[in-house]
Amino acid sequence: EVILIEEVVLAAIGLNFPIDAQNGVVIVDVGGGKTEASVISMGGVVIGKGIKTAGSEIDGTIMNYVKMKYGILIGPNSAEKVKIRVEEDNLVRGRDLETGLPKSVKLTRNEIREAASLELGKIVKLVKLTLDETPPELMEDILKKGIVMIGNGSRMKDLAEMIESETKICTVLADDPGMVVIKGCGGLIEEKD
């Protein structure tokens, strides 16, 4: 027997939210290739929207920024490390496009934010659009519980801050955000009811 379940419903189970309750919760899943913003209530998705902008696109914009500004070619792994780190200055190593030799440069947090701002703005807009279409009776619960971010692409600290700043709703990153859906699968198998 095959049962299809929405990924965000599994995420709600993994976050230990009472999914069969009437109150609503907003889950923003920023993966590697897509971002989804969903409102969950009564064990299902009330509103769900998605875009193709996600972690990979943010990494790409950081790579392009370093290439254009400093003339250094860096790989996706380096870009992802820079994106996730929260230090003020991030040392990035890559290949100098002029000489072909290895070269390092320090990126400030503001530079990383500037590089990723367009893609982050798309994600913030998606969350605002989802909230705009949310039924008013669920908004009180959402204001109490806040917005929960899952998926490895959501590890960028600036993203949660931007969403909170724009929506005025407390936005938190789940513990171990990349494993939330998997924990939900495990919880569902253990508790079939």
Side-chain angles (χ1 to χ4, degrees):
E1 185 183 1
V2 176
I3 301 168
L4 296 176
I5 299 172
E6 294 269 359
E7 194 174 335
V8 287
V9 174
L10 290 172
I13 295 168
L15 292 165
N16 294 321
F17 284 124
I19 62 156
D20 55 348
Q22 206 166 3
N23 44 11
V25 63
V26 177
I27 297 175
V28 179
D29 183 358
V30 185
K34 66 179 169 52
T35 298
E36 293 179 331
S38 305
V39 177
I40 309 294
S41 180
M42 298 293 292
V45 179
V46 178
I47 298 286
K49 296 200 169 294
I51 54 173
K52 294 280 184 200
T53 297
S56 301
E57 282 76 15
I58 296 169
D59 296 344
T61 60
I62 292 170
M63 289 166 52
N64 286 337
Y65 182 87
V66 173
K67 182 179 175 183
M68 299 303 284
K69 186 166 183 178
Y70 296 105
I72 298 173
L73 193 62
I74 64 169
N77 290 345
S78 298
E80 185 173 17
K81 285 178 189 168
V82 166
K83 174 182 75 177
I84 292 171
R85 269 192 234 131
V86 292
E87 291 97 37
E88 190 55 43
D89 293 319
N90 290 288
L91 188 66
V92 182
R93 292 181 178 86
R95 188 177 75 228
D96 190 322
L97 291 170
E98 229 175 84
T99 64
L101 298 172
K103 188 176 177 182
S104 300
V105 67
K106 272 191 177 178
L107 291 177
T108 66
R109 184 149 175 196
N110 286 338
E111 286 180 306
I112 297 162
R113 188 179 287 153
E114 181 186 337
S117 65
L118 186 65
E119 300 301 319
L120 295 179
K122 291 177 186 175
I123 295 171
V124 172
K125 189 176 178 182
L126 173 73
V127 174
K128 286 173 71 175
L129 192 65
T130 304
L131 288 169
D132 192 43
E133 294 184 19
T134 300
E137 56 270 15
L138 296 176
M139 286 309 287
E140 187 178 343
D141 296 319
I142 290 167
L143 288 168
K144 285 180 190 170
K145 288 185 178 157
I147 297 169
V148 182
M149 302 201 51
I150 64 165
N152 282 327
S154 65
R155 290 181 188 263
M156 188 171 185
K157 190 179 179 192
D158 292 339
L159 180 55
E161 289 174 3
M162 282 176 73
I163 291 172
E164 189 167 323
S165 170
E166 288 288 321
T167 62
K168 308 294 185 253
I169 298 173
C170 178
T171 304
V172 294
L173 181 64
D175 295 331
D176 200 5
M179 296 295 287
V180 171
V181 175
I182 295 165
K183 286 178 185 173
C185 286
L188 192 69
I189 291 167
E190 287 172 10
E191 289 277 340
K192 289 191 177 169
D193 293 338

